[in-house]
Amino acid sequence: MRLSARVDYALRAAAELAAAGSGPTTVGELAKEQEMPPKYLENILLQMRRAGLVRGQRGPEGGYVLARPAAEITLADVIRAVDGPLANVRGERPEHVGYRGAARSLQQVWIALRASERAILEEVTLDQIASENLPDRVMELAADPAAWD
């Protein structure tokens, strides 16, 4: 799995917003805390706003807040908002890609890969990231030394 810089920045900004609670956080504050380019982050936050994940507040006390409780927003939600479907092959959903001959079973591999990604990314919420209280399954997988190679 390859995550783009856009996804990485979106997840880090979302975690900061989750940690901030209900108070708005400016793009500048988010960018400084996570060492990200503010203009690039602003575009990412606009995508997240269009997806209904964050709300913008104007004025001197303005900034961004999560549009829903952090416990209701998964990592998969954020990734889909800024990068589209979790797994695709040449821009297509795995179920829409067909192969012939010896490569025929690749489609099942891509579908299984997507299911594996979903099993983690749809389980972990922003609240769990911000509170460093990850699900046991994630901790078990990350604790396996082979996972680090």
Side-chain angles (χ1 to χ4, degrees):
M1 175 177 192
R2 183 170 185 235
L3 296 175
S4 65
R6 177 176 290 283
V7 167
D8 180 51
Y9 289 176
L11 291 169
R12 290 164 47 198
E16 287 294 333
L17 292 174
S22 60
T25 306
T26 67
V27 172
E29 291 168 333
L30 291 170
K32 183 178 179 183
E33 182 65 31
Q34 288 295 320
E35 299 178 345
M36 297 184 274
K39 277 289 190 194
Y40 191 54
L41 180 58
E42 180 70 39
N43 289 329
I44 291 168
L45 289 166
L46 288 174
Q47 284 184 290
M48 292 173 66
R49 186 173 57 102
R50 283 187 212 113
L53 299 179
V54 299
R55 283 193 329 263
Q57 292 183 321
R58 297 183 186 265
E61 301 296 317
Y64 285 90
V65 295
L66 294 177
R68 302 190 317 253
E72 295 177 12
I73 301 174
T74 67
L75 300 186
D77 294 331
V78 176
I79 293 169
R80 286 183 183 115
V82 299
D83 216 28
L86 292 181
N88 65 63
V89 180
R90 300 183 321 265
E92 296 286 332
R93 296 174 58 92
E95 63 271 21
H96 296 144
V97 177
Y99 298 99
R100 297 168 52 184
R104 186 173 299 139
S105 62
L106 279 175
Q107 183 183 44
Q108 282 74 36
V109 173
W110 304 149
I111 290 170
L113 176 65
R114 180 179 60 190
S116 243
E117 287 178 344
R118 284 178 175 170
I120 299 296
L121 298 174
E122 290 180 349
E123 179 181 359
V124 180
T125 67
L126 294 179
D127 180 58
Q128 291 168 321
I129 294 293
S131 66
E132 298 183 36
N133 186 23
L134 296 174
D136 291 340
R137 177 179 167 162
V138 172
M139 295 301 292
E140 289 169 13
L141 288 169
D144 180 356
W148 293 82
D149 291 334

